Every structure is written in structure tokens, then in C-alpha cells.
Amino acid sequence: MPKNKDVQKKERKPRNKKAIIISISVTLVCVIIGGVGGYFIGRQVFPQNDAIDYSKMKDKDYEDDLEALMKKYTASKSSDYSTTFKPYEMANIGIEKIKNHDYVVSKTIGLVKAAGVDQTVRASSIKHKDDSFLENISASSMVKTGKRFYQSNGVVKTYNGNNIETDKAKWDEQPTSELSLDEHEEKWGKNLSRPLIYIISSKTCFDTSAATKTNDGYEVRLDLSPKYAVLRYVRQMVEISPVKNPRFHSIQLTMNLDNELNLLSCAVDESYSVEMVITAESVAHLDEVYTYDVETPIPSLSENLKY
């Protein structure tokens, strides 16, 4: 028997505007450290029946033997590394070589478009000998958020930001957590000693990936598996907010390396959907640039960086 018109009308009552705004805000707040040097990025939530059970997957099962790769690189004397190594190997060599420098700075500028809202991204990472630092600031007309991480003497301290603007914040004097490197990695997907949170390997890169020799070095384009390349990334997403079941649609990294395969820059393009009260298609683009061998002090909590 059909429902009466009054009941039908009540069931068609539009979603509360406040609930929709909260949903979009949660979507934008769900930004997290990712990418090569660390930056805020959106997260996506799908219905339970479309969820991926990441708890049964182990990071190391999808990673290659980087020690063996670096030995192969050291022994190689190729004039064109794109003929000697696969694209994902060239990328990993560039990432691993970051560890050989005492002083490294990376700056990231990006934009996330979610539900018609533009979310700016600013991030900076600093390696100063044995100490490391990471800052992430993300802002839009609806939500602003920021975090700083200081890694020293085997401990990572996390600080929240307040009074956030596009590229600066007022940082809390007391950390929200102090974790060992292993604890921080388990919670956030990586500690600050790992430059990139994505898993780049023979198991996570599609065959459409390619490397091209250029006048100044190499361009490496990686098409990553939206399921397996993000095993570490997912832990950060789950950590940052109460929403569950993150899932990507596509991930592409475009890296520029010099003739010796030092990583100079990395562009990240991602697409994904978010389902809370509403469903929102989201895309993100971020550009990260590296500087080596210029001693840069790690800033105090009272200092802001320039972008």
C-alpha cells in the first residue's frame, strides 16, 4: 500500500544545512601528511561494503630490497640510467640518496579541491644532521589546521597550531605526543627519517610508469596503485580523524632527478571521493622542491617559515 503524501513529504526533507557544512569541514580537516616531504592532503571515505581491509596487509610485503638496489646503483656506470633501471627504481634511488646529505630542505605548495572548496597546502621539511623537522599547514574558508613534528634523539614530538593563516600559525608550547621512532611510524605511517610515505616498488607501480632522459637529468612519472601504494598513508588518515575506510582513485608522481639521480622536485596528483553526509569528488595537486647541502637550522616553536 503506498505511503500517504504527508509521510512521503517528510521523508524527502532535505539534509540539514549545518550537517552538510560539518561534513565538508570534516572532509577538509581530514588532511594528512603525505607525499615526499610531507604535506596535507584530503582523505576519502567509502561505504563499509566498499572498504579495504588494510589491517591484513603489511608494508614490507609490498616494498623492494632498497639495500640491494643501492648496491646496484653504486656499481653502475651507465650514461643513461633510464636504460639501466626501471622508473620505480630510479625514484627510489633518488629518495634513498636524500639520506646521504647532512642538510636537506624541502618546500611544498599545493591545493586540494573538495566539495567546491579550495584548501591551500603549505609544508616544509628540514634535515639537520641527525635531527629532522616537518611542518604542515592547510587552510580554507571553512577550516584551518596545522601540525609540527620535531624528531631528535630517537623521539618525535608533535605540536598543534592555532591562529592559522595560509603559511603560518601560532604553535602550542606543549607537545600532544612524544613517541619513539617505531611508535611514531606505527601510528603515522612513517617517522621523519623516511622522506616519502608512499610505497614505491615493483608491486605498487603500474606498467604505465615511465622515465625519460632530459637535458638536465631525468623525468620519472609513476602511476601508483591506489590500493597498495598507500598502506602507510592510510594509517595517517585514520589517525587524523574519526572517519574510516580511506580509498584513492588515482595517484601520479612526476619526479625530476639530476644526472646522478638526486631528487630535485616531485609533483603529486591525486583524485578521490569522500562520502559522509554528502559525497564529494576531490582532487589534489602538490609541488615539492628540494635543496641540498645548505645548513638550515630547525625553527623554534616561536618562529615561522617562509614559503
Side-chain angles (χ1 to χ4, degrees), residues 198 269 295:
Y198 296 109
D269 289 282
E295 185 173 0

Side-chain angles (χ1 to χ4, degrees), residues 20-21 23-25 27-29 111-120 139-143 272 278 280-283:
I20 293 176
I21 292 174
S23 175
I24 297 173
S25 297
T27 297
L28 294 172
V29 166
L111 183 68
V112 179
K113 290 180 175 289
V117 179
D118 288 353
Q119 187 88 5
T120 62
S140 73
S141 59
M142 299 187 68
V143 63
Y272 44 84
I278 64 171
E281 292 297 324
S282 303
V283 295

Side-chain angles (χ1 to χ4, degrees), residues 270-283:
E270 298 180 334
S271 66
Y272 44 84
S273 299
V274 180
E275 185 171 306
M276 289 290 282
V277 178
I278 64 171
T279 299
E281 292 297 324
S282 303
V283 295

Side-chain angles (χ1 to χ4, degrees), residues 143-167:
V143 63
K144 296 177 173 62
T145 184
K147 283 188 180 294
R148 273 188 175 185
F149 303 86
Y150 291 80
Q151 179 174 303
S152 181
N153 298 320
V155 174
V156 182
K157 296 182 180 181
T158 304
Y159 297 83
N160 287 334
N162 299 289
N163 301 326
I164 295 168
E165 299 180 27
T166 300
D167 57 2

Side-chain angles (χ1 to χ4, degrees), residues 49 108 159 200 249-250 275:
N49 60 6
T108 300
Y159 297 83
I200 297 175
H249 296 327
S250 65
E275 185 171 306

